[in-house]
Amino acid sequence: MKQQANWSPYDNNGGTCVAIAGADYCVVASDTRMSTGYSILTRDYSKICQLAEKSVMASSGFQADVRALQKVLAARHAIYQHQHNKQMSCPAMAQLLSNTLYYKRFFPYYAFNVLGGLDSEGKGCVFTYDAVGSYERVGYSSQGSGSTLIMPFLDNQLKSPSPLLLPAQDAVTPLSESEAIDLVKTCFASATERDIYTAAKYPYFTLFSEHVRHVLQGDKLEIVVLNVSGIRREYMELRKD
């Protein structure tokens, strides 16, 4: 039988991202495992990137493309700051991300993104994307290898109103900030039992110091919370399998 070598410019490094918008906050979370096939490349890779003062992007897919996308967005945001002497708002960053992805639609970034932050009114906002820039503002979203497990659970718990309803209803979730964080932890505790690319469940242990992150060697859940006070990060340790 004739052998043929196959090569692809893409890889899927797995991982799962979740974002939930509230009345005055936004929670963005992701695991820190990066894999290829059945191999674990690292257990300490952050998939969350702060793009602006009130905008945070979490990305799954091919992490080389994700890093290239982050660099392009950072450069364009720097140009925007020089021209307008202010930070880009989260809805404006959402449009920039859409334009950037659509520009590469014929050789797209293999990146599946969810953007979270606060809008000009201080409300939480979440924008979810496909690989070529089509996006929508929603109350919650998930991307990555575990998204098919997490989204039905979020639909059941949060029951986002249909965008077709008139008059239009607010997409933010009714949960408090602490309840949203607990819900995110529950999502990952459930999904990691079925998805090998999202690491495995372990009793909850939250870390508030960023310095501890470099000491722990196991998989972690990284949670970024945006509110009127600013941005803070929390970490939950996962099993070292």
Side-chain angles (χ1 to χ4, degrees), residues 5-27:
N6 293 318
W7 178 84
S8 171
Y10 296 121
D11 190 12
N12 190 350
N13 298 127
T16 305
C17 308
V18 172
I20 299 176
D24 58 354
Y25 70 87
C26 183
V27 177

Side-chain angles (χ1 to χ4, degrees), residues 149-165:
L149 301 171
I150 289 178
M151 279 305 293
F153 177 70
L154 291 177
D155 288 335
N156 176 265
Q157 294 295 308
L158 300 178
K159 297 180 176 64
S160 180
S162 170
L164 301 178
L165 292 177

Side-chain angles (χ1 to χ4, degrees), residues 18-105:
V18 172
I20 299 176
D24 58 354
Y25 70 87
C26 183
V27 177
V28 181
S30 173
D31 68 308
T32 60
R33 176 181 288 191
M34 183 167 68
S35 309
T36 180
Y38 292 110
S39 300
I40 298 174
L41 301 177
T42 178
R43 301 176 186 271
D44 190 25
Y45 185 86
S46 176
K47 301 179 181 71
I48 301 176
C49 174
Q50 183 176 356
L51 299 177
E53 185 179 17
K54 297 181 180 179
S55 302
V56 171
M57 180 177 70
S59 308
S60 63
F62 184 29
Q63 290 302 324
D65 276 3
V66 170
R67 187 54 60 91
L69 176 62
Q70 291 171 354
K71 289 180 179 180
V72 170
L73 294 173
R76 293 186 177 179
H77 184 231
I79 294 172
Y80 180 92
Q81 289 182 88
H82 287 307
Q83 292 177 340
H84 300 278
N85 197 29
K86 66 176 182 179
Q87 292 266 326
M88 191 177 287
S89 68
C90 191
M93 183 63 74
Q95 184 64 60
L96 173 63
L97 176 55
S98 175
N99 293 348
T100 305
L101 293 172
Y102 187 72
Y103 174 78
K104 286 272 290 180
R105 65 192 180 279

Side-chain angles (χ1 to χ4, degrees), residues 81-180:
Q81 289 182 88
H82 287 307
Q83 292 177 340
H84 300 278
N85 197 29
K86 66 176 182 179
Q87 292 266 326
M88 191 177 287
S89 68
C90 191
M93 183 63 74
Q95 184 64 60
L96 173 63
L97 176 55
S98 175
N99 293 348
T100 305
L101 293 172
Y102 187 72
Y103 174 78
K104 286 272 290 180
R105 65 192 180 279
F106 297 116
F107 187 25
Y109 293 111
Y110 192 59
F112 302 93
N113 309 285
V114 58
L115 182 72
L118 301 177
D119 62 16
S120 57
E121 299 177 356
K123 290 183 179 180
C125 53
V126 169
F127 300 89
T128 186
Y129 293 79
D130 67 5
V132 292
S134 177
Y135 77 111
E136 179 185 8
R137 181 170 178 171
V138 293
Y140 56 89
S141 183
S142 177
Q143 294 279 10
S145 56
S147 62
T148 53
L149 301 171
I150 289 178
M151 279 305 293
F153 177 70
L154 291 177
D155 288 335
N156 176 265
Q157 294 295 308
L158 300 178
K159 297 180 176 64
S160 180
S162 170
L164 301 178
L165 292 177
L166 292 176
Q169 299 186 31
D170 206 340
V172 299
T173 61
L175 301 181
S176 67
E177 183 181 305
S178 60
E179 289 173 335

